[in-house]
Amino acid sequence: METQPPKKRSRWEIIAWVGTALMLFSYLMMSMRRLDPNIVFYSCQLVGQIALLVVSASKRAWQPAVANLAFAIASVVGLIYCFASTG
């Protein structure tokens, strides 16, 4: 019986998993009131959403790509408000 070698994950897939972890962790910390919706939160969200957007688009999975694009735009708006309130 022949076994196939394990599939090698692309660099972008690994980045997408890290991005997913960042998004979930920052959202969990905000939900537990250990992190305010601030620059750190929106930055973590943005990095995760861009990573997932790239992987989704590369696989032609357009629904998650569009959803992550929308959330990335929302994170950029959140960052703009954060920078505007600190400056």
Side-chain angles (χ1 to χ4, degrees), residues 1-33:
M1 180 183 236
E2 232 177 277
T3 60
Q4 295 187 3
K7 268 182 133 176
K8 186 176 179 183
R9 292 189 181 212
S10 75
R11 188 174 298 150
W12 278 108
E13 285 189 50
I14 294 168
I15 291 170
W17 278 111
V18 171
T20 299
L22 269 174
M23 288 171 46
L24 294 174
F25 179 75
S26 63
Y27 189 77
L28 177 65
M29 290 294 104
M30 189 185 76
S31 297
M32 294 171 56
R33 299 184 193 272

Side-chain angles (χ1 to χ4, degrees), residues 12-76:
W12 278 108
E13 285 189 50
I14 294 168
I15 291 170
W17 278 111
V18 171
T20 299
L22 269 174
M23 288 171 46
L24 294 174
F25 179 75
S26 63
Y27 189 77
L28 177 65
M29 290 294 104
M30 189 185 76
S31 297
M32 294 171 56
R33 299 184 193 272
R34 297 185 184 215
L35 181 66
D36 292 326
N38 59 18
I39 294 170
V40 173
F41 171 76
Y42 289 117
S43 297
C44 287
Q45 292 293 308
L46 184 61
V47 168
Q49 290 148 357
I50 289 172
L52 290 174
L53 171 63
V54 169
V55 170
S56 298
S58 72
K59 293 182 176 190
R60 298 184 184 267
W62 300 117
Q63 295 91 344
V66 170
N68 280 295
L69 176 62
F71 283 117
I73 291 169
S75 292
V76 168

